Protein backbone atom coordinates (compact mmCIF):
# COMPACT_ATOMS: atom_id res chain seq x y z
CA UNK A 1 0.00 0.00 0.00
CA UNK A 2 1.36 3.44 -0.91
CA UNK A 3 2.39 5.65 1.99
CA UNK A 4 0.52 8.81 2.97
CA UNK A 5 3.21 10.98 1.44
CA UNK A 6 2.89 9.15 -1.89
CA UNK A 7 -0.86 9.81 -1.87
CA UNK A 8 -0.28 13.49 -1.15
CA UNK A 9 2.14 13.77 -4.06
CA UNK A 10 -0.23 12.01 -6.46
CA UNK A 11 -3.07 14.34 -5.49
CA UNK A 12 -0.89 17.43 -5.93
CA UNK A 13 0.26 16.28 -9.37
CA UNK A 14 -3.25 15.49 -10.60
CA UNK A 15 -4.39 18.86 -9.30
CA UNK A 16 -1.76 20.69 -11.33
CA UNK A 17 -2.71 18.63 -14.41
CA UNK A 18 -6.30 19.70 -13.90
CA UNK A 19 -5.23 23.33 -13.76
CA UNK A 20 -3.42 22.98 -17.09
CA UNK A 21 -6.25 21.19 -18.87
CA UNK A 22 -8.86 23.64 -17.65
CA UNK A 23 -6.70 26.57 -18.79
CA UNK A 24 -6.26 24.91 -22.19
CA UNK A 25 -9.99 24.45 -22.40
CA UNK A 26 -10.60 28.13 -21.83
CA UNK A 27 -7.95 29.16 -24.34
CA UNK A 28 -9.47 26.80 -26.92
CA UNK A 29 -12.93 28.23 -26.25
CA UNK A 30 -11.81 31.77 -26.99
CA UNK A 31 -9.82 30.67 -30.05
CA UNK A 32 -12.84 28.74 -31.25
CA UNK A 33 -14.90 31.92 -31.16
CA UNK A 34 -12.28 33.70 -33.27
CA UNK A 35 -12.00 30.81 -35.72
CA UNK A 36 -15.76 30.67 -36.11
CA UNK A 37 -15.89 34.41 -36.75
CA UNK A 38 -13.20 34.04 -39.42
CA UNK A 39 -15.17 31.22 -41.04
CA UNK A 40 -18.27 33.40 -40.95
CA UNK A 41 -16.44 36.39 -42.46
CA UNK A 42 -15.38 34.30 -45.45
CA UNK A 43 -19.00 33.40 -46.16
CA UNK A 44 -20.00 36.43 -48.33
CA UNK A 45 -17.15 35.84 -50.78
CA UNK A 46 -17.83 32.13 -51.05
CA UNK A 47 -21.54 32.61 -51.63
CA UNK A 48 -20.98 35.43 -54.13
CA UNK A 49 -18.51 33.17 -55.92
CA UNK A 50 -21.00 30.31 -55.97
CA UNK A 51 -23.74 32.58 -57.30
CA UNK A 52 -21.46 33.85 -60.04
CA UNK A 53 -20.36 30.35 -60.98
CA UNK A 54 -23.98 29.31 -61.24
CA UNK A 55 -24.71 32.26 -63.51
CA UNK A 56 -21.77 31.53 -65.76
CA UNK A 57 -22.70 27.85 -65.83
CA UNK A 58 -26.22 28.81 -66.80
CA UNK A 59 -24.98 30.93 -69.67
CA UNK A 60 -22.66 28.18 -70.82
CA UNK A 61 -24.00 26.30 -73.79
CA UNK A 62 -21.85 23.21 -73.51
CA UNK A 63 -19.08 22.05 -71.24
CA UNK A 64 -17.34 20.15 -74.00
CA UNK A 65 -13.91 21.56 -74.75
CA UNK A 66 -14.10 23.77 -71.67
CA UNK A 67 -11.13 24.57 -69.47
CA UNK A 68 -9.03 21.66 -68.30
CA UNK A 69 -9.92 22.26 -64.66
CA UNK A 70 -13.52 21.52 -65.55
CA UNK A 71 -13.24 18.63 -67.97
CA UNK A 72 -10.16 17.03 -66.42
CA UNK A 73 -7.30 15.35 -68.22
CA UNK A 74 -9.49 12.58 -69.56
CA UNK A 75 -8.04 9.94 -67.28
CA UNK A 76 -8.23 9.17 -63.57
CA UNK A 77 -5.00 7.27 -63.08
CA UNK A 78 -3.22 9.51 -60.59
CA UNK A 79 -5.05 10.92 -57.60
CA UNK A 80 -3.75 13.83 -55.56
CA UNK A 81 -5.15 14.07 -52.04
CA UNK A 82 -4.79 17.30 -50.10
CA UNK A 83 -5.09 16.38 -46.42
CA UNK A 84 -5.85 19.29 -44.10
CA UNK A 85 -5.08 18.66 -40.42
CA UNK A 86 -4.02 20.74 -37.45
CA UNK A 87 -0.48 21.67 -36.42
CA UNK A 88 -0.84 20.71 -32.80
CA UNK A 89 -2.07 17.71 -30.89
CA UNK A 90 -4.04 17.38 -27.67
CA UNK A 91 -7.32 17.75 -29.48
CA UNK A 92 -8.88 14.34 -29.00
CA UNK A 93 -9.51 12.21 -32.06
CA UNK A 94 -9.48 15.17 -34.42
CA UNK A 95 -6.34 14.29 -36.36
CA UNK A 96 -6.56 10.55 -35.70
CA UNK A 97 -9.99 10.30 -37.29
CA UNK A 98 -8.95 12.41 -40.24
CA UNK A 99 -5.84 10.39 -40.93
CA UNK A 100 -7.72 7.11 -40.55
CA UNK A 101 -10.23 8.40 -43.10
CA UNK A 102 -7.39 9.42 -45.42
CA UNK A 103 -5.69 6.01 -45.04
CA UNK A 104 -8.89 4.17 -45.97
CA UNK A 105 -9.18 6.44 -48.98
CA UNK A 106 -5.62 5.76 -50.03
CA UNK A 107 -6.01 2.01 -49.61
CA UNK A 108 -9.21 2.00 -51.62
CA UNK A 109 -7.68 4.01 -54.46
CA UNK A 110 -4.57 1.83 -54.51
CA UNK A 111 -6.70 -1.32 -54.52
CA UNK A 112 -8.54 0.05 -57.55
CA UNK A 113 -5.23 0.41 -59.32
CA UNK A 114 -4.84 4.17 -59.05
CA UNK A 115 -1.67 5.93 -58.12
CA UNK A 116 -1.92 8.20 -55.10
CA UNK A 117 0.03 11.34 -54.28
CA UNK A 118 -0.36 13.34 -51.09
CA UNK A 119 -0.10 16.97 -50.09
CA UNK A 120 -0.33 17.51 -46.35
CA UNK A 121 -1.42 20.72 -44.70
CA UNK A 122 -0.63 20.89 -40.99
CA UNK A 123 2.10 19.16 -39.03
CA UNK A 124 -0.04 16.30 -37.73
CA UNK A 125 -1.13 14.97 -41.10
CA UNK A 126 2.49 14.85 -42.19
CA UNK A 127 3.70 13.17 -38.97
CA UNK A 128 0.97 10.53 -39.03
CA UNK A 129 0.99 9.77 -42.75
CA UNK A 130 4.77 9.74 -42.97
CA UNK A 131 4.89 6.37 -41.24
CA UNK A 132 3.36 4.27 -43.97
CA UNK A 133 2.93 6.59 -46.95
CA UNK A 134 6.17 8.53 -46.90
CA UNK A 135 6.95 8.01 -50.57
CA UNK A 136 3.53 9.32 -51.58
CA UNK A 137 3.89 12.73 -49.94
CA UNK A 138 4.90 15.23 -52.62
CA UNK A 139 4.63 18.38 -50.52
CA UNK A 140 3.75 19.46 -47.02
CA UNK A 141 2.78 22.71 -45.36
CA UNK A 142 3.46 23.23 -41.67
CA UNK A 143 3.18 25.86 -38.96
CA UNK A 144 0.34 27.73 -40.50
CA UNK A 145 -0.74 29.51 -37.34
CA UNK A 146 -3.60 31.84 -38.08
CA UNK A 147 -5.20 30.83 -41.36
CA UNK A 148 -5.20 33.60 -43.94
CA UNK A 149 -6.14 33.52 -47.58
CA UNK A 150 -2.45 33.75 -48.46
CA UNK A 151 -1.94 30.30 -46.88
CA UNK A 152 -4.70 28.80 -48.98
CA UNK A 153 -3.35 30.53 -52.09
CA UNK A 154 0.04 28.93 -51.44
CA UNK A 155 -1.54 25.47 -51.34
CA UNK A 156 -3.66 26.07 -54.42
CA UNK A 157 -0.69 27.52 -56.33
CA UNK A 158 1.16 24.29 -55.71
CA UNK A 159 -1.83 22.25 -56.84
CA UNK A 160 -2.16 24.28 -60.05
CA UNK A 161 1.52 24.07 -60.92
CA UNK A 162 1.43 20.29 -60.39
CA UNK A 163 -1.68 20.11 -62.54
CA UNK A 164 0.00 22.09 -65.31
CA UNK A 165 2.88 19.64 -65.19
CA UNK A 166 0.39 16.79 -65.58
CA UNK A 167 1.47 15.38 -62.24
CA UNK A 168 -2.03 14.13 -61.43
CA UNK A 169 -5.46 13.69 -62.98
CA UNK A 170 -7.89 13.99 -60.08
CA UNK A 171 -7.51 16.17 -57.01
CA UNK A 172 -9.55 15.79 -53.83
CA UNK A 173 -9.52 17.65 -50.56
CA UNK A 174 -9.73 15.74 -47.28
CA UNK A 175 -10.56 17.82 -44.23
CA UNK A 176 -12.60 17.88 -41.05
CA UNK A 177 -15.94 19.43 -41.82
CA UNK A 178 -17.11 21.64 -38.96
CA UNK A 179 -20.69 20.51 -38.37
CA UNK A 180 -20.98 21.75 -34.80
CA UNK A 181 -18.83 22.24 -31.73
CA UNK A 182 -19.35 18.58 -30.88
CA UNK A 183 -19.09 17.08 -34.35
CA UNK A 184 -16.26 17.39 -36.86
CA UNK A 185 -16.64 14.92 -39.67
CA UNK A 186 -13.79 13.87 -41.96
CA UNK A 187 -14.97 14.76 -45.45
CA UNK A 188 -13.64 14.36 -48.93
CA UNK A 189 -14.39 16.83 -51.68
CA UNK A 190 -13.34 16.64 -55.29
CA UNK A 191 -11.64 19.77 -56.61
CA UNK A 192 -10.34 18.79 -60.03
CA UNK A 193 -12.11 18.12 -62.33
CA UNK A 194 -14.58 20.51 -60.84
CA UNK A 195 -18.28 19.74 -61.01
CA UNK A 196 -20.46 22.76 -61.59
CA UNK A 197 -23.19 23.32 -59.02
CA UNK A 198 -26.04 21.82 -61.00
CA UNK A 199 -28.41 21.79 -58.08
CA UNK A 200 -28.06 25.51 -57.70
CA UNK A 201 -28.76 26.10 -61.36
CA UNK A 202 -31.91 24.06 -61.06
CA UNK A 203 -32.89 26.05 -57.98
CA UNK A 204 -32.31 29.32 -59.81
CA UNK A 205 -34.50 28.18 -62.64
CA UNK A 206 -37.24 27.11 -60.25
CA UNK A 207 -37.10 30.46 -58.51
CA UNK A 208 -37.31 32.27 -61.79
CA UNK A 209 -40.34 30.29 -62.79
CA UNK A 210 -42.06 30.84 -59.49
CA UNK A 211 -41.53 34.56 -59.60
CA UNK A 212 -42.63 34.49 -63.22
CA UNK A 213 -40.59 37.65 -63.71
CA UNK A 214 -39.17 38.20 -67.16
CA UNK A 215 -35.59 37.06 -66.98
CA UNK A 216 -33.00 39.48 -68.22
CA UNK A 217 -30.19 37.62 -69.89
CA UNK A 218 -26.73 38.24 -68.50
CA UNK A 219 -23.96 39.73 -70.50
CA UNK A 220 -20.52 38.25 -70.12
CA UNK A 221 -17.34 40.16 -70.55
CA UNK A 222 -15.10 38.85 -72.18
CA UNK A 223 -17.18 35.65 -72.63
CA UNK A 224 -18.41 32.67 -70.62
CA UNK A 225 -15.44 30.41 -71.34
CA UNK A 226 -12.86 33.06 -70.47
CA UNK A 227 -14.59 33.96 -67.24
CA UNK A 228 -14.93 30.31 -66.34
CA UNK A 229 -11.25 29.79 -67.03
CA UNK A 230 -10.48 32.63 -64.64
CA UNK A 231 -13.03 31.86 -61.99
CA UNK A 232 -12.39 28.13 -61.60
CA UNK A 233 -8.87 28.38 -60.14
CA UNK A 234 -10.05 31.08 -57.74
CA UNK A 235 -12.98 28.96 -56.74
CA UNK A 236 -10.62 26.12 -55.95
CA UNK A 237 -8.50 28.44 -53.80
CA UNK A 238 -11.65 29.49 -51.99
CA UNK A 239 -12.62 25.86 -51.40
CA UNK A 240 -9.20 25.14 -49.94
CA UNK A 241 -9.41 28.29 -47.82
CA UNK A 242 -12.83 27.26 -46.53
CA UNK A 243 -11.55 23.78 -45.69
CA UNK A 244 -8.62 25.28 -43.78
CA UNK A 245 -10.90 27.62 -41.85
CA UNK A 246 -13.30 24.78 -41.09
CA UNK A 247 -10.43 22.64 -39.95
CA UNK A 248 -9.05 25.43 -37.73
CA UNK A 249 -12.43 25.94 -36.07
CA UNK A 250 -12.89 22.18 -35.72
CA UNK A 251 -9.46 21.81 -34.12
CA UNK A 252 -10.31 24.31 -31.40
CA UNK A 253 -13.72 22.76 -30.84
CA UNK A 254 -12.20 19.29 -30.59
CA UNK A 255 -9.53 20.55 -28.20
CA UNK A 256 -12.13 22.27 -26.06
CA UNK A 257 -14.16 19.07 -25.77
CA UNK A 258 -11.08 16.95 -25.12
CA UNK A 259 -9.80 19.30 -22.44
CA UNK A 260 -13.19 19.50 -20.79
CA UNK A 261 -13.23 15.71 -20.54
CA UNK A 262 -9.68 15.69 -19.22
CA UNK A 263 -10.55 18.28 -16.59
CA UNK A 264 -13.55 16.22 -15.48
CA UNK A 265 -11.47 13.04 -15.34
CA UNK A 266 -8.85 14.79 -13.26
CA UNK A 267 -11.56 15.94 -10.85
CA UNK A 268 -12.88 12.39 -10.49
CA UNK A 269 -9.40 11.10 -9.94
CA UNK A 270 -8.71 13.67 -7.23
CA UNK A 271 -11.92 12.67 -5.45
CA UNK A 272 -10.97 9.00 -5.57
CA UNK A 273 -7.42 9.63 -4.42
CA UNK A 274 -8.59 11.89 -1.57
CA UNK A 275 -10.93 9.13 -0.41
CA UNK A 276 -8.13 6.59 -0.45
CA UNK A 277 -5.81 9.02 1.29
CA UNK A 278 -8.33 9.62 4.08
CA UNK A 279 -8.92 5.91 4.50
CA UNK A 280 -5.21 5.26 4.74
CA UNK A 281 -4.82 8.07 7.26
CA UNK A 282 -7.73 6.71 9.32
CA UNK A 283 -6.24 3.23 9.25
CA UNK A 284 -2.89 4.60 10.37
CA UNK A 285 -4.44 6.50 13.30
CA UNK A 286 -6.49 3.47 14.35
CA UNK A 287 -3.41 1.31 14.20
CA UNK A 288 -1.47 3.71 16.44
CA UNK A 289 -4.33 3.90 18.92
CA UNK A 290 -4.55 0.11 19.11
CA UNK A 291 -0.85 -0.04 19.73
CA UNK A 292 -1.07 2.50 22.54
CA UNK A 293 -4.11 0.85 24.16
CA UNK A 294 -2.74 -2.65 23.97
CA UNK A 295 0.56 -1.33 25.32
CA UNK A 296 -1.28 0.26 28.27
CA UNK A 297 -3.28 -2.93 28.93
CA UNK A 298 -0.13 -5.01 29.01
CA UNK A 299 1.32 -2.91 31.82
CA UNK B 1 -28.69 61.64 -62.11
CA UNK B 2 -27.82 63.65 -59.07
CA UNK B 3 -30.93 62.63 -57.18
CA UNK B 4 -29.99 60.59 -54.18
CA UNK B 5 -32.79 58.08 -54.65
CA UNK B 6 -31.11 56.37 -57.60
CA UNK B 7 -28.57 54.43 -55.62
CA UNK B 8 -27.04 51.06 -56.30
CA UNK B 9 -26.02 48.61 -53.62
CA UNK B 10 -22.26 48.16 -53.87
CA UNK B 11 -20.48 45.24 -52.18
CA UNK B 12 -16.77 44.66 -52.21
CA UNK B 13 -15.82 41.31 -50.74
CA UNK B 14 -12.47 39.61 -50.22
CA UNK B 15 -12.09 35.97 -49.18
CA UNK B 16 -11.37 37.05 -45.62
CA UNK B 17 -14.16 39.56 -45.10
CA UNK B 18 -16.70 41.93 -46.55
CA UNK B 19 -14.84 45.20 -47.09
CA UNK B 20 -17.55 47.57 -48.25
CA UNK B 21 -21.30 47.23 -48.37
CA UNK B 22 -23.23 50.42 -48.99
CA UNK B 23 -25.55 52.20 -51.37
CA UNK B 24 -23.70 54.48 -53.78
CA UNK B 25 -24.43 56.56 -56.85
CA UNK B 26 -21.90 55.16 -59.27
CA UNK B 27 -19.03 52.72 -59.41
CA UNK B 28 -16.39 52.75 -62.14
CA UNK B 29 -14.91 49.30 -62.62
CA UNK B 30 -11.73 48.51 -64.56
CA UNK B 31 -13.20 45.68 -66.63
CA UNK B 32 -11.17 43.26 -68.70
CA UNK B 33 -12.29 44.97 -71.90
CA UNK B 34 -12.22 48.54 -70.61
CA UNK B 35 -13.48 50.60 -67.71
CA UNK B 36 -17.21 50.81 -67.25
CA UNK B 37 -19.42 52.85 -64.97
CA UNK B 38 -22.27 51.22 -63.12
CA UNK B 39 -25.35 53.20 -62.13
CA UNK B 40 -28.61 51.97 -60.75
CA UNK B 41 -30.55 50.09 -63.43
CA UNK B 42 -27.48 48.75 -65.21
CA UNK B 43 -27.98 45.72 -67.46
CA UNK B 44 -26.84 42.47 -65.79
CA UNK B 45 -23.19 41.81 -66.50
CA UNK B 46 -20.60 39.37 -65.28
CA UNK B 47 -17.10 40.57 -66.01
CA UNK B 48 -13.54 39.90 -65.03
CA UNK B 49 -11.72 42.83 -63.48
CA UNK B 50 -8.17 43.94 -64.24
CA UNK B 51 -5.69 44.90 -61.58
CA UNK B 52 -6.39 48.57 -61.13
CA UNK B 53 -8.47 51.17 -59.37
CA UNK B 54 -12.20 51.05 -58.68
CA UNK B 55 -13.76 54.50 -58.28
CA UNK B 56 -16.74 54.81 -55.99
CA UNK B 57 -18.98 57.90 -56.10
CA UNK B 58 -20.84 57.78 -52.79
CA UNK B 59 -23.47 60.53 -53.00
CA UNK B 60 -23.32 62.34 -56.32
CA UNK B 61 -21.22 62.33 -59.43
CA UNK B 62 -19.73 65.67 -58.43
CA UNK B 63 -18.06 64.17 -55.36
CA UNK B 64 -14.45 63.23 -55.49
CA UNK B 65 -14.53 59.45 -55.84
CA UNK B 66 -13.14 57.04 -53.29
CA UNK B 67 -10.41 55.12 -55.04
CA UNK B 68 -9.89 51.48 -54.16
CA UNK B 69 -6.99 49.45 -55.48
CA UNK B 70 -7.92 45.93 -56.54
CA UNK B 71 -5.58 43.10 -57.52
CA UNK B 72 -7.94 41.68 -60.12
CA UNK B 73 -11.17 39.82 -59.55
CA UNK B 74 -14.74 39.61 -60.80
CA UNK B 75 -17.70 41.92 -60.96
CA UNK B 76 -21.30 40.78 -60.86
CA UNK B 77 -23.72 43.54 -61.78
CA UNK B 78 -27.50 43.50 -61.69
CA UNK B 79 -29.97 46.39 -61.84
CA UNK B 80 -29.86 46.94 -58.08
CA UNK B 81 -26.61 45.43 -57.02
CA UNK B 82 -22.97 45.51 -57.91
CA UNK B 83 -20.71 42.93 -56.29
CA UNK B 84 -16.96 42.86 -56.76
CA UNK B 85 -14.97 39.83 -55.71
CA UNK B 86 -11.36 40.71 -55.11
CA UNK B 87 -8.56 38.73 -53.53
CA UNK B 88 -6.84 41.88 -52.40
CA UNK B 89 -8.22 45.38 -52.03
CA UNK B 90 -7.20 48.57 -50.27
CA UNK B 91 -8.24 52.20 -50.24
CA UNK B 92 -5.72 54.22 -52.28
CA UNK B 93 -5.61 57.16 -49.85
CA UNK B 94 -4.59 54.78 -47.06
CA UNK B 95 -1.65 53.30 -48.94
CA UNK B 96 1.81 54.26 -47.82
CA UNK B 97 3.98 55.31 -50.75
CA UNK B 98 7.27 55.32 -48.86
CA UNK B 99 6.74 51.78 -47.57
CA UNK B 100 5.71 50.72 -51.06
CA UNK B 101 8.89 52.16 -52.59
CA UNK B 102 10.90 50.25 -50.04
CA UNK B 103 8.99 47.06 -50.89
CA UNK B 104 9.61 47.56 -54.60
CA UNK B 105 13.31 48.10 -54.02
CA UNK B 106 13.72 45.03 -51.83
CA UNK B 107 11.65 42.92 -54.23
CA UNK B 108 13.88 44.03 -57.11
CA UNK B 109 16.95 43.08 -55.09
CA UNK B 110 15.45 39.72 -54.19
CA UNK B 111 14.49 39.11 -57.78
CA UNK B 112 17.98 39.68 -59.10
CA UNK B 113 19.33 37.40 -56.35
CA UNK B 114 16.71 34.67 -56.87
CA UNK B 115 18.00 31.40 -58.29
CA UNK B 116 15.14 29.05 -59.08
CA UNK B 117 12.60 29.83 -61.76
CA UNK B 118 9.81 29.19 -59.28
CA UNK B 119 11.10 31.83 -56.86
CA UNK B 120 11.58 34.26 -59.71
CA UNK B 121 8.03 33.78 -60.88
CA UNK B 122 6.65 34.39 -57.39
CA UNK B 123 8.79 37.48 -56.82
CA UNK B 124 7.94 38.87 -60.24
CA UNK B 125 4.26 38.50 -59.39
CA UNK B 126 4.69 40.42 -56.16
CA UNK B 127 6.77 43.09 -57.87
CA UNK B 128 4.14 43.58 -60.58
CA UNK B 129 1.53 43.97 -57.89
CA UNK B 130 3.61 46.54 -55.99
CA UNK B 131 4.28 48.50 -59.18
CA UNK B 132 0.57 48.49 -60.01
CA UNK B 133 -0.11 49.85 -56.51
CA UNK B 134 2.41 52.64 -57.06
CA UNK B 135 0.77 53.49 -60.38
CA UNK B 136 -2.57 53.64 -58.58
CA UNK B 137 -1.23 56.21 -56.10
CA UNK B 138 0.32 58.29 -58.85
CA UNK B 139 -2.85 58.32 -60.97
Amino acid sequence: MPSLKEYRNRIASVKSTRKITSAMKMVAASKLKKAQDAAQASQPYASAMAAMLARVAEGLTSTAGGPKLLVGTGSDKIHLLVVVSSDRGLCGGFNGNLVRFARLRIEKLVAQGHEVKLVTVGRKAFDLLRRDHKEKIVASFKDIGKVGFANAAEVSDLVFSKFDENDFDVCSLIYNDFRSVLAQVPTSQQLIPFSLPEKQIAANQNNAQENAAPKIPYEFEPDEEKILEDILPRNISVQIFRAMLDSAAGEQAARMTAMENATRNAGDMIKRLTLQYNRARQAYITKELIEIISGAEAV
Amino acid sequence: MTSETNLIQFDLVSPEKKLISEAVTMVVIPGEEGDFGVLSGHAPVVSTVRTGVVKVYPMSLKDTPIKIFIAGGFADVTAHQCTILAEQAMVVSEMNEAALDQDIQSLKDDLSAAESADDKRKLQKRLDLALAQKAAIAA
Side-chain angles (χ1 to χ4, degrees):
Chain A
M1 200 169 91
S3 73
L4 288 181
K5 187 164 166 44
E6 274 166 44
Y7 271 124
R8 274 201 298 272
N9 286 344
R10 278 291 302 279
I11 290 170
S13 107
V14 176
K15 267 188 181 157
S16 67
T17 307
R18 184 174 64 171
K19 256 183 214 155
I20 294 168
T21 56
S22 89
M24 277 183 82
K25 184 196 136 195
M26 280 187 270
V27 171
S30 87
K31 280 192 179 165
L32 170 66
K33 179 83 184 41
K34 270 189 213 151
Q36 271 179 312
D37 286 349
Q40 202 115 55
S42 77
Q43 207 53 55
Y45 189 89
S47 55
M49 179 74 87
M52 203 181 280
L53 255 180
R55 267 173 205 159
V56 178
E58 218 173 345
L60 212 61
T61 40
S62 76
T63 51
K68 222 166 125 199
L69 288 174
L70 190 63
V71 294
T73 55
S75 108
D76 64 344
K77 177 107 191 45
I78 309 171
H79 282 246
L80 181 78
L81 302 181
V82 180
V83 185
V84 182
S85 77
S86 74
D87 267 330
R88 291 162 190 227
L90 283 182
C91 43
F94 183 78
N95 292 312
N97 286 342
L98 182 83
V99 168
R100 194 173 315 129
F101 181 80
R103 278 212 183 98
L104 283 175
R105 213 57 219 267
I106 295 167
E107 275 159 26
K108 204 171 138 203
L109 286 171
V110 170
Q112 285 169 354
H114 300 295
E115 192 184 324
V116 177
K117 290 180 179 176
L118 293 168
V119 171
T120 61
V121 179
R123 183 179 293 278
K124 285 288 157 185
F126 178 73
D127 286 349
L128 292 169
L129 286 171
R130 177 173 61 176
R131 272 185 231 148
D132 38 2
H133 297 293
K134 192 168 194 290
E135 70 295 339
K136 295 192 181 73
I137 299 176
V138 288
S140 59
F141 295 88
K142 286 178 210 168
D143 296 325
I144 286 148
K146 198 179 172 310
V147 178
F149 188 70
N151 304 117
E154 232 176 280
V155 178
S156 58
D157 274 354
L158 179 96
V159 170
F160 295 142
S161 68
K162 293 248 178 252
F163 190 63
D164 285 341
E165 290 162 17
N166 284 322
D167 255 8
F168 65 88
D169 302 306
V170 179
C171 173
S172 316
L173 194 58
I174 293 179
Y175 68 103
N176 270 310
D177 188 30
F178 185 82
R179 298 270 163 87
S180 73
V181 175
L182 292 175
Q184 298 88 36
V185 186
T187 311
S188 154
Q189 184 190 0
Q190 185 165 318
L191 291 179
I192 304 172
F194 183 73
S195 50
L196 285 172
E198 280 168 33
K199 264 187 207 157
Q200 195 159 0
I201 298 170
N204 283 353
Q205 280 164 349
N206 283 343
N207 277 344
Q209 278 163 5
E210 273 164 29
N211 297 339
K215 235 174 136 199
I216 312 163
Y218 264 86
E219 272 175 48
F220 296 98
E221 239 177 85
D223 55 41
E224 288 94 322
E225 278 82 23
K226 284 261 174 55
I227 293 181
L228 202 58
E229 225 167 88
D230 226 20
I231 213 171
L232 280 175
R234 293 197 197 219
N235 186 57
I236 288 168
S237 312
V238 168
Q239 298 295 341
I240 294 176
F241 183 50
R242 200 180 58 87
M244 283 167 79
L245 284 174
D246 251 29
S247 170
E251 177 198 350
Q252 298 305 340
R255 177 166 302 129
M256 199 177 91
T257 318
M259 286 303 121
E260 195 177 328
N261 286 338
T263 308
R264 199 175 318 121
N265 278 346
D268 290 349
M269 201 162 169
I270 290 169
K271 253 188 216 157
R272 216 179 49 237
L273 282 172
T274 313
L275 196 67
Q276 283 175 3
Y277 169 70
N278 284 341
R279 275 210 194 111
R281 194 169 59 101
Q282 200 82 60
Y284 180 72
I285 292 168
T286 316
K287 199 182 95 197
E288 273 197 341
L289 274 177
I290 289 170
E291 275 169 8
I292 293 167
I293 293 167
S294 46
E297 268 173 4
V299 174
Chain B
M1 266 291 205
T2 48
S3 90
E4 290 174 10
T5 49
N6 274 341
L7 296 177
I8 184 162
Q9 176 66 30
F10 171 61
D11 291 321
L12 176 62
V13 287
S14 81
E16 278 163 20
K17 62 184 179 201
K18 208 170 202 164
L19 296 166
I20 295 176
S21 175
E22 59 185 18
V24 299
T25 311
M26 180 168 88
V27 188
V28 179
I29 302 169
E32 190 67 44
E33 299 185 334
D35 293 10
F36 60 97
V38 176
L39 289 150
S40 173
H42 196 283
V45 166
V46 172
S47 171
T48 47
V49 178
R50 283 176 297 144
T51 299
V53 176
V54 174
K55 288 183 198 141
V56 183
Y57 294 79
M59 275 336 226
S60 80
L61 297 179
K62 285 171 196 137
D63 291 343
T64 29
I66 303 166
K67 291 183 187 169
I68 302 162
F69 175 80
I70 282 179
F74 304 92
D76 181 357
V77 178
T78 66
H80 310 291
Q81 193 158 25
C82 169
T83 310
I84 297 184
L85 303 182
E87 279 182 13
Q88 217 183 24
M90 55 191 101
V91 179
V92 170
S93 59
E94 286 169 11
M95 293 200 297
N96 182 346
E97 196 169 0
L100 203 56
D101 279 337
Q102 228 168 22
D103 266 7
I104 291 174
Q105 200 48 51
S106 69
L107 278 172
K108 273 181 182 161
D109 292 346
D110 287 353
L111 190 62
S112 52
E115 309 246 313
S116 76
D118 203 36
D119 283 351
K120 268 191 187 152
R121 194 177 52 83
K122 275 182 195 158
L123 285 167
Q124 187 63 50
K125 221 169 143 186
R126 280 172 59 192
L127 183 62
D128 288 347
L129 193 66
L131 287 172
Q133 284 179 12
K134 195 165 157 56
I137 294 177

